[in-house]
Amino acid sequence: MVILLITLLSVPILSLTIDYSNDVINSISTKNELSKITDSIDFCYYSGKGSKKVVLLDFNQDFSVRFTNNGQKGIAYADLELSDNNHKEISSEYDYIGLNTNIQFSKGFNKILVEWDEDTGLIRLSKLN
């Protein structure tokens, strides 16, 4: 009887702990992958017109990333869905302020090209297959 009672109490607590741990891991992973993108934007920005960089990313879920700026810095925002169906916004800053776009990423591996186009003078992001 005592073993049954302990089991009934510990399983829900263990389940909540696992969900919380997965949310933390997904948040950290998403922040790291988002930083890869923003670091690549900064790389192209500081390298000058004509620079390019291909970035391989690995995400744990589907979501979109919104690129905008606050007038002084560029900011990339990712909306992460947590295990309790709430959402957490993950952000990462970069120095180039001319990027205003959204990119949809799918779960798993994604490859993007970050390039400073010589013709337009703008940094662009595009998904590669």
Side-chain angles (χ1 to χ4, degrees), residues 32-57:
N32 286 339
E33 297 302 301
L34 199 58
S35 291
K36 286 182 187 179
I37 299 170
T38 57
D39 289 347
S40 297
I41 294 169
D42 281 339
F43 170 82
C44 288
Y45 180 60
Y46 291 118
S47 296
K49 290 183 180 178
S51 59
K52 298 178 182 182
K53 188 164 187 180
V54 175
V55 184
L56 182 62
L57 307 163

Side-chain angles (χ1 to χ4, degrees), residues 49-50 96 115-124:
K49 290 183 180 178
Y96 178 70
E115 66 179 326
W116 191 334
D117 190 354
E118 291 186 57
D119 296 332
T120 63
L122 300 173
I123 292 178
R124 296 183 303 155

